[in-house]
Amino acid sequence: MIKLLKKEMKLVLMPLVYIFTALSALVVIPNYPAWVGLFYCLIPTQIILSTANANKDMEFTSMLPVTRDDIVLVRHIDFAYIEILQLVFAIPFAVIANVYISPNGNPVGIDPNIAFFGLSLVCYGVYNLIFLPWHFKTGYKAVPQMLVGMFAFTVLVGIFETLINVIPVLKNTLDTLDPAFTGVQLAVLGIGVVFYILSLILSYKKSVQNFRRVNL
Amino acid sequence: MYIQYTQYIDFTEVNFAMLVVKNLKKVYENFTLKDISFELEKGYILGFIGANGAGKTTTLKSMLNITHKDGGEVTILGEDFTKNELKLKQKIGFMLGPVDYYPKSRISKIVGVYKDFFTEWDENKYRDLLKRFDIDDSKKISELSTGMKVKLGIALALSHNAKLLIFDEPTSGVDPIARDELLDIFQEIVEDGEHSILFSTHITSDLDKCADYILLICDGQIVQNDTKDNIIDSHILVEGKTADLTDDVIARLISFKTHSFGFKGLMKKADMRESDNFMTEKPNLEDIMIFYNKRMKK
């Protein structure tokens, strides 16, 4: 698996992937929805698969001593790597925004706080669950999967924002930079992490089932 | 008096088949691969011929788990391929077309990734082969000609010490000089008796030059599986007048074509009778492929 990951790093994860990933820094912009940067960050997942398709990566990989399950696993790791990298990259910019630029919070949507990162992981988890098992029904199609996944991501963001704005207790605890609510926000982050890991496991199992039936 | 002879067999000397395919099956909506079975022993070249769409690529892909097979067993070097895929992929080299992945990347970059996966990668051998094939590995893959791409694939397979080489139409789109050179290379590879080659083609003249065994597939079924010489020697081309084309003759012909003066067809030599008054001719592999294919399309 390490060799396969090295192969992905050298051949599939192009510089453009990292450029889009770095757009998660957009959380630093004042009076701008924190989610926007993450939307841009869904594009690298599409770039990964487009690069692979354009270069007949599946033909190349199938020549190597690896199984189909390995191919599915490495693509899940690619996605997780990019998504987590986005969030990690966004952390210092979120701190800058919260401490120096908008210390009173972001008036447009949720503040880029700890809860925001937890909810982002839930959104990524849903995106992966839609995208990857569907993609592995063919092993090459990726555009409709990305569009539907992005739509689901948007709907989920809409639901989170609506709930936070409609339910006062959520507004007070999640959309705030007050350190008094750090515990609650850490709990949301924890739920996000658990959901994200479970969604990846479920997506992997479903993708393996789908990909074993594919005729390459 | 009863004498019992005891025969000691040294099993290390048993020359088991390099590749055994049994009842391989693949069902598509409009095409079925029907119980494909054949063997390939060490040190031989097996030519896999058939018309476009006859099932050559499907057979190779199903054997190698690239296409999901619907039945059958594939044994390579005595081990089941499905159960030992990782281990056996170290021992085989296959190319389902010329090397054309990552076309805008340099050969050195792709090979740098590729060789990490193979435990028996021999860098010196690889360098020697590049030199022999006149391949500059600082070039991009898209800068290679079709023949060079095939040679690169061969170099990759041989450098990881593959014993069984499987090529799908390796000579397709290659000029006659490069093709002849490739066929010479194939023969050299099997000369040591440790390597075997299975290659598919629809260019039957390739097989006249280098194949030991022939596998002929028509419409998803194997219709001939024997040594090249046996296949050619057991058939005969017959030509006669229209009046000679009786129901009895038609029943004995594999298939035939009619023209203004009569007919031309292929028959098994065993089905010839002394009373037959035909002009006869030794067939070549192309004739055999064409007439079997015609029979299957009836």
Side-chain angles (χ1 to χ4, degrees):
Chain A
M1 183 47 66
I2 300 291
K3 290 170 189 166
L4 209 47
L5 281 170
K6 271 192 196 168
K7 185 220 104 188
E8 296 288 286
M9 294 288 173
K10 283 185 182 169
L11 299 179
V12 181
L13 297 173
M14 297 285 106
L16 192 59
V17 168
Y18 294 103
I19 291 168
F20 274 97
T21 301
L23 288 177
S24 61
L26 290 175
V27 292
V28 83
I29 298 175
N31 303 326
Y32 195 61
W35 302 102
V36 173
L38 300 189
F39 277 106
Y40 284 118
C41 295
L42 295 178
I43 295 171
T45 57
Q46 169 66 25
I47 296 173
I48 289 171
L49 297 172
S50 300
T51 306
N53 286 345
N55 289 294
K56 300 189 175 180
D57 177 74
M58 210 56 100
E59 280 181 24
F60 176 66
T61 311
S62 59
M63 279 173 48
L64 303 172
V66 296
T67 63
R68 283 180 175 230
D69 295 3
D70 292 336
I71 295 173
V72 172
L73 182 58
V74 82
R75 284 286 139 81
H76 276 72
I77 294 173
D78 284 348
F79 271 46
Y81 167 66
I82 289 301
E83 288 160 355
I84 292 167
L85 194 64
Q86 286 163 10
L87 294 183
V88 170
F89 191 74
I91 290 171
F93 293 96
V95 171
I96 291 167
N98 294 339
V99 175
Y100 301 108
I101 300 173
S102 311
N104 296 322
N106 183 359
V108 188
I110 190 172
D111 298 334
N113 55 22
I114 297 168
F116 165 75
F117 285 95
L119 295 175
S120 300
L121 283 169
V122 173
C123 293
Y124 281 144
V126 170
Y127 177 75
N128 293 342
L129 264 176
I130 291 170
F131 192 128
L132 287 164
W134 188 8
H135 166 69
F136 279 108
K137 280 187 173 178
T138 60
Y140 67 92
K141 279 189 182 172
V143 175
Q145 288 78 349
M146 186 190 74
L147 294 176
V148 175
M150 273 184 149
F151 178 74
F153 192 104
T154 312
V155 169
L156 210 52
V157 166
I159 290 170
F160 288 150
E161 284 291 349
T162 306
L163 290 175
I164 287 167
N165 282 290
V166 169
I167 303 169
V169 68
L170 294 181
K171 178 80 180 164
N172 295 334
T173 55
L174 302 184
D175 188 14
T176 178
L177 299 175
D178 187 344
F181 299 106
T182 303
V184 180
Q185 293 189 8
L186 279 172
V188 173
L189 179 63
I191 291 168
V193 169
V194 171
F195 181 85
Y196 184 72
I197 292 170
L198 289 177
S199 69
L200 272 179
I201 294 170
L202 191 63
S203 168
Y204 170 71
K205 288 190 169 173
K206 187 69 189 153
S207 299
V208 162
Q209 271 179 11
N210 290 346
F211 197 49
R212 281 183 185 168
R213 290 195 289 262
V214 170
N215 300 317
L216 293 172
Chain B
M1 193 177 162
Y2 176 77
I3 303 172
Q4 187 180 356
Y5 290 97
T6 309
Q7 189 180 9
Y8 292 98
I9 300 172
D10 180 357
F11 281 97
T12 59
E13 291 296 315
V14 173
N15 189 21
F16 55 78
M18 181 73 83
L19 167 70
V20 181
V21 176
K22 271 188 196 166
N23 303 320
L24 187 69
K25 197 174 169 190
K26 174 72 196 169
V27 181
Y28 287 110
E29 204 173 312
N30 299 316
F31 177 80
T32 304
L33 208 59
K34 299 167 194 117
D35 293 327
I36 304 291
S37 298
F38 64 91
E39 289 189 13
L40 172 59
E41 285 180 26
K42 278 183 183 177
Y44 291 101
I45 298 175
L46 172 61
F48 190 20
I49 53 170
N52 290 332
K56 299 188 296 292
T57 302
T58 306
T59 302
L60 299 182
K61 283 187 167 181
S62 304
M63 277 167 49
L64 298 167
N65 201 21
I66 292 169
T67 289
H68 175 77
K69 65 177 187 278
D70 293 313
E73 289 171 22
V74 177
T75 309
I76 295 174
L77 287 162
E79 294 186 88
D80 184 278
F81 183 75
T82 311
K83 290 178 189 159
N84 302 285
E85 185 177 345
L86 285 186
K87 183 180 163 190
L88 290 172
K89 271 187 171 174
Q90 295 277 355
K91 294 286 175 194
I92 62 173
F94 60 92
M95 270 199 314
L96 303 177
V99 172
D100 60 354
Y101 34 75
Y102 291 98
K104 297 298 174 194
S105 296
R106 298 196 185 283
I107 297 167
S108 53
K109 185 179 180 184
I110 301 302
V111 176
V113 171
Y114 178 89
K115 67 183 181 188
D116 274 355
F117 286 84
F118 294 94
T119 51
E120 291 187 42
W121 180 264
D122 185 337
E123 188 65 22
N124 292 332
K125 195 172 185 180
Y126 173 65
R127 292 283 149 207
D128 288 346
L129 286 165
L130 284 191
K131 205 171 170 186
R132 187 189 158 184
F133 296 159
D134 205 18
I135 298 172
D136 174 3
D137 73 344
S138 64
K139 277 188 175 177
K140 290 176 180 171
I141 287 179
S142 61
E143 290 168 355
L144 298 180
S145 65
T146 310
M148 294 297 244
K149 286 176 183 173
V150 176
K151 284 181 189 170
L152 176 62
I154 294 170
L156 290 178
L158 291 177
S159 301
H160 76 255
N161 200 21
K163 300 290 182 197
L164 172 63
L165 304 176
I166 299 173
F167 300 129
D168 188 20
E169 312 252 3
T171 52
S172 185
V174 178
D175 69 69
I177 295 163
R179 227 166 65 206
D180 188 61
E181 200 184 346
L182 281 175
L183 299 175
D184 286 344
I185 293 166
F186 285 0
Q187 275 183 316
E188 263 180 54
I189 292 170
V190 298
E191 259 170 19
D192 64 0
E194 289 298 316
H195 294 85
S196 305
I197 297 176
L198 162 60
F199 81 97
S200 74
T201 183
H202 56 264
I203 307 167
T204 51
S205 58
D206 291 350
L207 304 173
D208 289 328
K209 287 179 189 165
C210 76
D212 303 297
Y213 290 90
I214 300 290
L215 196 62
L216 171 58
I217 187 168
C218 291
D219 200 22
Q221 288 180 64
I222 298 295
V223 292
Q224 286 292 306
N225 177 14
D226 206 337
T227 63
K228 181 176 67 187
D229 294 338
N230 280 352
I231 289 178
I232 291 173
D233 291 346
S234 61
H235 291 84
I236 192 153
L237 273 178
V238 296
E239 205 163 349
K241 293 175 187 159
T242 310
D244 298 329
L245 197 59
T246 61
D247 288 345
D248 170 58
V249 170
I250 290 172
R252 287 186 286 132
L253 284 168
I254 285 153
S255 70
F256 62 94
K257 293 173 184 177
T258 53
H259 49 80
S260 314
F261 306 105
F263 75 95
K264 186 175 185 180
L266 185 75
M267 192 180 272
K268 283 193 173 167
K269 265 188 184 167
D271 292 333
M272 281 285 283
R273 291 179 191 157
E274 279 185 21
S275 56
D276 287 337
N277 188 25
F278 305 131
M279 283 173 68
T280 60
E281 195 183 329
K282 187 178 178 179
N284 57 28
L285 285 171
E286 189 168 310
D287 297 322
I288 293 171
M289 183 171 96
I290 288 169
F291 282 106
Y292 269 100
N293 196 55
K294 196 168 162 58
R295 183 178 74 168
M296 298 302 285
K297 296 288 175 197
K298 268 182 190 175

